[in-house]
Amino acid sequence: MKKMFVQNSILKGRAGVSISVILSAVAANAAVVALTSSVQAQESITVNAYSGPWELAMRKCFFDPFSAETGVQVVVETGTASVTYAKLRQQKGTPGIDVAWLDAGYSEQAWEEGLTQEVSRTEVPNLSNLSKQAVYADANGKVYGVGTGYFAYTLVYDPKQVDPAPTSYFDLWDPKYEKRVYSPAPAQSLFTPVMMHLNKALGGTDDNFDPVINKFRELKPSSYYEASGVMNVTIQSGEVVLGIYYPNTASQLLDQGVSIATAIPKEGVVASDIRMHLVAGTSKKELAERLMNFVSQPKPLECIGEEIYLGPPLDNPQLSEKARQRMPWGADGKVSDLIMPDWLVVNAKRQQLRDLWNRRVVSQ
């Protein structure tokens, strides 16, 4: 009997240890399953953003507050508008992006090619907060793009080196600034509309670009820039003193202590905007619309104006005095002062003007 009791005790002891281990294992496995389920349950959405200060501002003003309010994770892919446009074309039908930011021009092309889909005013009711001209619709009234900030080209100069301040784009041809001026290259989204605008100022037409091409053949620049990041370094180095550039970027350099100022040219300010789009074929249409509705509120749009001095697409934006002074339309201007191109015409002429530029200006 004693032997049997000992054996039973041993068996019970062994059984107790086995059950404990099993229970621990089950509990651990349950925890892993719960964690996995929690991660899987977290909703996410993929967007694109411009790089550098633009990405930081878009995260701060758009994406992070949206995530904080909704719990939806925003996955950000960075790249220029041209890169995003190419990506949408490659991924047509099975997009990896749910909400796409594109510059004007690319916006129209993406819509025409079926890369983006209609934005419903019912599902995105905050579109009513925006200036009328910031809600882009086709001839049938279908909304295809939503403006989230205006940018422009203006005159940018070093006030220590350029005195008096420039008043015209054509001040770049002043011999005393030879090899110290800069202007955009065709890779820049505003290159074509600015060249078309200057061409008309010189007496040309959209069917005859000889005036502007011949004029730029006479210019002796330091460079024709393709990327603002590289141009910023050149400006900071003091190698250049006058150019056609982004006033919001110039203002950011001013914040860093660079000797730089902006001036409104008498020919006017040619502008564009960054727009958000609902990507065609997204499997997360409802989440995408929620994000678009969130961004279309005054607070996020005023935030982007404060951070990188993009002009908010609002009729009466509430901005600090510092930001107001640095808007693309000038301290005392307004959205309607900007020259907004007809992007259908611009897109139709883009390749022709690019070819003329490369053949007759760059290769000379």
Side-chain angles (χ1 to χ4, degrees), residues 25-66:
V26 169
N29 185 61
V32 171
V33 171
L35 179 60
T36 302
S37 297
S38 175
V39 171
Q40 290 176 340
Q42 183 179 18
E43 295 177 305
S44 67
I45 188 171
T46 301
V47 305
N48 73 295
Y50 304 105
S51 59
W54 296 68
E55 178 192 358
L56 297 178
M58 293 173 78
R59 285 183 181 273
K60 179 177 180 178
C61 300
F62 299 164
F63 310 142
D64 292 349
F66 174 75

Side-chain angles (χ1 to χ4, degrees), residues 277-290:
H277 305 78
L278 183 59
V279 177
T282 172
S283 61
K284 300 180 179 181
K285 184 172 182 285
E286 183 179 345
L287 288 181
E289 290 169 335
R290 287 175 66 186

Side-chain angles (χ1 to χ4, degrees), residues 82-99:
S82 61
V83 169
T84 299
Y85 170 66
K87 189 177 295 185
L88 291 178
R89 296 187 76 186
Q90 292 169 353
Q91 298 174 350
K92 186 175 182 179
T94 55
I97 299 172
D98 304 299
V99 178

Side-chain angles (χ1 to χ4, degrees), residues 257-273:
V258 177
S259 177
I260 197 168
T262 62
I264 302 294
K266 63 184 181 182
E267 294 85 8
V269 176
V270 178
S272 183
D273 60 349

Side-chain angles (χ1 to χ4, degrees), residues 178-197:
E178 185 176 305
K179 298 293 185 180
R180 303 185 72 190
V181 298
Y182 52 100
S183 186
Q188 289 286 304
S189 64
L190 270 175
F191 168 85
T192 301
V194 165
M195 292 300 152
M196 292 174 71
H197 181 66

